[in-house]
Amino acid sequence: MSSNYLNMLRGQRRRSSGFQITARTLLAILAFVAMAGSAAYWWGVQSQLTDNRIVAVAFTAILVLAPPSLVSFLIPWSPAGMLLQKVNARTWAFPVIIGCALYLLYYAFQLQWAWWAAQPVVAETNLVYQQVLIGMIGFIIIPALLWTPVSSDELVEQVRQAHLVKRYELQTQADIAILRATLLRAQEKALIGFANLTVQEREELAAVMQSLVSGIDRTLKEIGQTVKTVSGVALPFDSILDDNEDIRDVLEYIGDTLVNTSISEAQEAKPEQAALQASQPTRETRRPTPQTDPREAGYYQSRHRTRRLRRDEEDDE
Amino acid sequence: MTAMLRSDDPEATLSDQELYEFADLLALRLYQDLGRRCYLLSRQDISELIYPYITDLDRRDRRALSWLVWNLLQEGAEIEYEIDQA
C-alpha cells in the first residue's frame, strides 16, 4: 500500500538531493578525462626520453600535476580568489609561482610541438600549433580552472590575515602620528623651561610622559597580539613598560615633582589667594637646586645606588 | 473526506484498505496544516485533531485511525530527518 503523504515527502528528498549537471560538473568530468589523457601522453613522451622507468614516472607525474596546480594560482575563479591573488602578489612566493608556471608551460609547449611535428600527417597539414594548443588547454588550462589553490576556509583565513596586517599598519601609523604630535608639544614646553611652566602645563607635561610610555606599551601589546593572531606565536609584550616598577617609579616621581611643586606653593599661600592663583598661570620664581632639595634626596640616592650597581655589574663582566 | 466513508449501518467497520487510505488523507491534511510541528503530536493529540472527521465511525476504527495516522507521521519524520542529514 502506497501512501500519498509519504510519497510527497520522498519526492522532497529526490528534489533536494537531485543531481544537477552544471557546466562546472561537466568541466570536472572533462578535466578528469584530460588529466588521464595527459598522464598517458606524457608517459609516452617521457618513456621515450629515458629508459629509466622510475625517472619517467616521476617526470610524468610532474608534468601531469605541476602545471595545472601552479597555473591555478594565476587564474582565480571567484571574487575572494581575486582578492587573495592581489594579497599574495606582494609575497615572495608569487613571483616564484609565476616563474615556475611559465617555465612549465614553455616546456610543455616545446615538447608537444616537437612531438606533433614528428607526426607526418600533422606536419604535412600544418596543424602542429593547433594540436599543441589543444593539448595545452586540455592538459593544463582546464584542470587549472577546476582546481582552487586553497579551500574556502583557508581563503577566508588568508583574507582575514591580510586585513589584520593592513589594520595593524594603519594603526601603527596613527599611533606614531599621535606620539609625534605629543612629543612636539612636550618639546615646546621643555623649551619654555620647566621653571616657567604654569601648573596646568606641568600637569600636562607629566601626563605626556606617562601617556608616552603607556602608548608605546599599548602599541607593543597590539603588535604582540597581531603577531599571535597571524602566526600563533605569543610574544612577551604584555605591559612590559607599564608594569615595570622602575619606569613607573620614575614617571610618578617626575609627575609628582612637576605638579606638586607649584601646588604645594599655592597651598602655602592664603586659601583665598590660592583659589585665585589656581585660575591664573603661576610662575615659579625661585627653586632650590635638585641636589639640595630634600624632596629629591630619595631620587638622587636611588640614582647613586643604580650607578653603583651598574659599576658592580661592569666589574663582574 | 468523510463523505466517502459514510455508511448507513452504524455497526459497519472499514476495511484495512479504507482505513489506510483514510489515515493517509488525514496525515496529509495534518502535515499541510501544521507542517513539521505535526511530528511532535502524541497519539492523543492526533485523536483530538482528527475527531471532527471520524465522529461517525466505529470506536475501533477511530482508535485504529489515530494509531495509523501517528505511525504515518513518524515515518514522515524519519524521511525528513534523512533529508536533513543528506
Side-chain angles (χ1 to χ4, degrees):
Chain A
M1 279 188 281
S2 69
S3 160
N4 291 324
Y5 162 66
L6 294 179
N7 287 342
M8 183 197 73
L9 291 179
R10 289 190 189 106
Q12 278 183 12
R13 174 159 62 177
R14 273 196 291 277
R15 273 198 301 279
S16 63
S17 62
F19 182 72
Q20 287 183 315
I21 293 183
T22 60
R24 187 116 184 168
T25 316
L26 203 62
L27 197 68
I29 296 165
L30 185 62
F32 185 75
V33 173
M35 285 187 74
S38 171
Y41 175 82
W42 287 116
W43 169 250
V45 173
Q46 295 297 329
S47 58
Q48 291 289 315
L49 294 176
T50 176
D51 291 334
N52 190 327
R53 282 182 170 266
I54 296 170
V55 173
V57 168
F59 269 69
T60 303
I62 290 169
L63 286 165
V64 170
L65 299 173
S69 61
L70 289 175
V71 171
S72 71
F73 280 91
L74 310 180
I75 316 172
W77 201 357
S78 68
M82 294 279 285
L83 180 63
L84 182 66
Q85 195 186 39
K86 273 187 196 171
V87 172
N88 285 345
R90 291 196 291 272
T91 61
W92 285 102
F94 204 70
V96 173
I97 289 171
I98 292 174
C100 292
L102 287 177
Y103 181 74
L104 282 168
L105 285 170
Y106 166 77
Y107 179 86
F109 185 89
Q110 283 294 316
L111 251 70
Q112 285 190 65
W113 193 91
W115 194 85
W116 282 112
Q119 309 302 312
V121 178
V122 178
E124 281 169 18
T125 51
N126 284 327
L127 288 172
V128 177
Y129 280 107
Q130 287 87 334
Q131 292 293 96
V132 172
L133 282 174
I134 293 294
M136 296 291 283
I137 291 168
F139 294 166
I140 299 171
I141 306 295
I142 289 175
L145 280 172
L146 192 73
W147 291 357
T148 49
V150 290
S151 69
S152 296
D153 290 345
E154 285 173 318
L155 193 74
V156 169
E157 182 56 27
Q158 288 194 19
V159 172
R160 198 179 68 83
Q161 283 182 14
H163 176 70
L164 265 177
V165 169
K166 187 75 186 164
R167 200 179 70 178
Y168 157 67
E169 283 173 4
L170 290 171
Q171 198 175 325
T172 312
Q173 281 170 8
D175 280 353
I176 289 168
I178 292 165
L179 283 173
R180 191 174 290 150
T182 318
L183 267 175
L184 280 172
R185 174 100 176 127
Q187 279 174 351
E188 279 177 17
K189 295 284 169 288
L191 284 173
I192 295 169
F194 290 150
N196 294 324
L197 293 178
T198 62
V199 176
Q200 287 84 0
E201 284 169 341
R202 285 174 188 216
E203 282 174 353
E204 184 189 340
L205 196 61
V208 161
M209 289 185 173
Q210 295 265 14
S211 63
L212 267 180
V213 174
S214 300
I216 293 166
D217 195 45
R218 195 173 56 248
T219 307
L220 280 173
K221 204 187 293 177
E222 282 164 2
I223 290 170
Q225 192 61 41
T226 308
V227 170
K228 191 180 173 187
T229 311
V230 172
S231 66
V233 179
L235 294 179
F237 282 168
D238 289 343
S239 303
I240 52 174
L241 296 179
D242 224 13
D243 287 350
N244 189 297
E245 203 174 329
D246 288 343
I247 291 173
R248 185 153 285 286
D249 283 350
V250 171
L251 284 170
E252 277 173 7
Y253 170 77
I254 293 169
D256 288 349
T257 312
L258 283 169
V259 178
N260 290 343
T261 310
S262 296
I263 292 173
S264 59
E265 282 174 3
Q267 283 168 345
E268 282 166 13
K270 288 179 183 176
E272 60 274 19
Q273 285 175 347
L276 286 171
Q277 280 170 353
S279 61
Q280 290 170 353
T282 312
R283 305 282 173 194
E284 190 177 295
T285 51
R286 196 172 63 82
R287 199 179 164 209
T289 58
Q291 285 83 354
T292 57
D293 191 345
R295 291 169 300 181
E296 301 185 4
Y299 170 67
Y300 280 96
Q301 274 175 8
S302 70
R303 267 185 66 193
H304 287 311
R305 194 175 63 236
T306 311
R307 279 182 189 160
R308 197 167 57 241
L309 284 170
R310 199 171 292 160
R311 231 183 0 255
D312 290 346
E313 280 173 9
E314 283 168 2
D315 290 340
D316 289 343
E317 286 171 5
Chain B
M1 198 189 303
T2 49
M4 71 175 192
L5 296 163
R6 231 177 266 281
S7 167
D8 294 332
D9 182 7
E11 293 298 316
T13 57
L14 299 174
S15 67
D16 287 352
Q17 176 71 22
E18 285 171 334
L19 269 176
Y20 193 82
E21 284 178 3
F22 193 26
D24 188 32
L25 281 170
L26 288 170
L28 195 61
R29 181 65 188 266
L30 282 176
Y31 184 78
Q32 283 168 349
D33 286 349
L34 300 173
R36 287 189 172 206
R37 283 174 295 169
C38 69
Y39 301 139
L40 303 173
L41 298 173
S42 65
R43 196 184 62 83
Q44 191 60 41
D45 296 333
I46 290 168
S47 294
E48 282 183 28
L49 285 166
I50 63 173
Y51 187 75
Y53 303 101
I54 56 173
T55 45
D56 51 354
L57 292 183
D58 182 71
R59 190 181 57 81
R60 284 166 298 172
D61 284 349
R62 289 206 299 262
R63 183 177 159 77
L65 273 171
S66 66
W67 275 112
L68 280 169
V69 171
W70 179 85
N71 187 53
L72 272 173
L73 290 176
Q74 295 312 305
E75 276 189 57
E78 282 172 15
I79 290 169
E80 290 228 42
Y81 178 74
E82 284 170 19
I83 291 171
D84 291 343
Q85 294 297 309

